Amino acid sequence: YHLQLPKEWFEAGRIMPLRDSVYSAFPGFVEGATLHLWTLASFAPIEAAAGITQWMHAGMAVAASLVTGALAASLLAPSESDRARRWTFAVAACGVLGIPWVIVTGSLAYNDMAVVLLLATAMLAWTSQDASGPGRAGMAVGLALGAAVGAKLTAAGMAVLPFAVWAVLA
């Protein structure tokens, strides 16, 4: 449905619930972004547009790895050297890209990498709170986790719940 929904929306000229797909009534930020990319690029025939969606999702995988690297580096003690931070960043970022699930789904026209990217963003915002208090970090966390659920409804259980537990325990 990650390509079928945007295809049918493209043909209909708008985003709308479809009779033959319950997924079309769920939040579909990535599928909506796909439709917008296809519209901007004016693809015809629409079947030629799958590649741009794969590149978008692969870009999300790379961005998720970079944010995860930044998160890992931010968790180091302030006394750690810049060299340790660079190595931590590199190992974490490459580690994410080396996970078989990321290799497979990251190269597809899919929506999972948006959830990974937004969860890592929320975690980075939470760990990067400054003296101004949790207000700004809380807004960033809320926006990132809300967007994760908008990208994939199951992120409510796969990202928001684990984040809440992590934030309470941290």
Side-chain angles (χ1 to χ4, degrees), residues 20-102:
D20 59 342
S21 176
V22 69
Y23 294 107
S24 67
F26 293 168
F29 290 2
V30 175
E31 291 79 12
T34 295
L35 172 65
H36 292 297
L37 279 174
W38 291 359
T39 302
L40 287 170
S42 300
F43 279 104
I46 201 66
E47 286 75 19
I52 195 169
T53 308
Q54 289 174 286
W55 280 108
M56 178 182 69
H57 197 247
M60 288 180 197
V62 171
S65 74
L66 296 174
V67 174
T68 302
L71 170 64
S74 77
L75 295 175
L76 293 175
S79 60
E80 290 292 337
S81 69
D82 285 341
R83 183 172 188 235
R85 291 186 190 292
R86 285 192 301 271
W87 272 102
T88 301
F89 175 91
V91 168
C94 291
V96 168
L97 289 177
I99 297 170
W101 172 77
V102 173

Side-chain angles (χ1 to χ4, degrees), residues 139-166:
M139 286 190 305
V141 166
L143 287 170
L145 292 178
V149 173
K152 186 170 185 146
L153 195 56
T154 56
M158 296 185 322
V160 176
L161 236 47
F163 177 89
V165 170
W166 174 75

Side-chain angles (χ1 to χ4, degrees), residues 4-6 8-9 12 14 16-25:
Q4 187 62 31
L5 290 180
E8 291 187 37
W9 291 337
R14 64 189 178 114
M16 61 184 193
L18 303 170
R19 293 186 67 179
D20 59 342
S21 176
V22 69
Y23 294 107
S24 67

Side-chain angles (χ1 to χ4, degrees), residues 91-132:
V91 168
C94 291
V96 168
L97 289 177
I99 297 170
W101 172 77
V102 173
I103 294 168
V104 172
T105 62
S107 64
L108 299 173
Y110 207 49
N111 60 6
D112 279 9
M113 291 302 109
V115 175
V116 175
L117 170 61
L118 292 162
L119 176 58
T121 300
M123 294 175 77
L124 180 60
W126 188 256
T127 61
S128 301
Q129 292 182 50
D130 58 12
S132 65

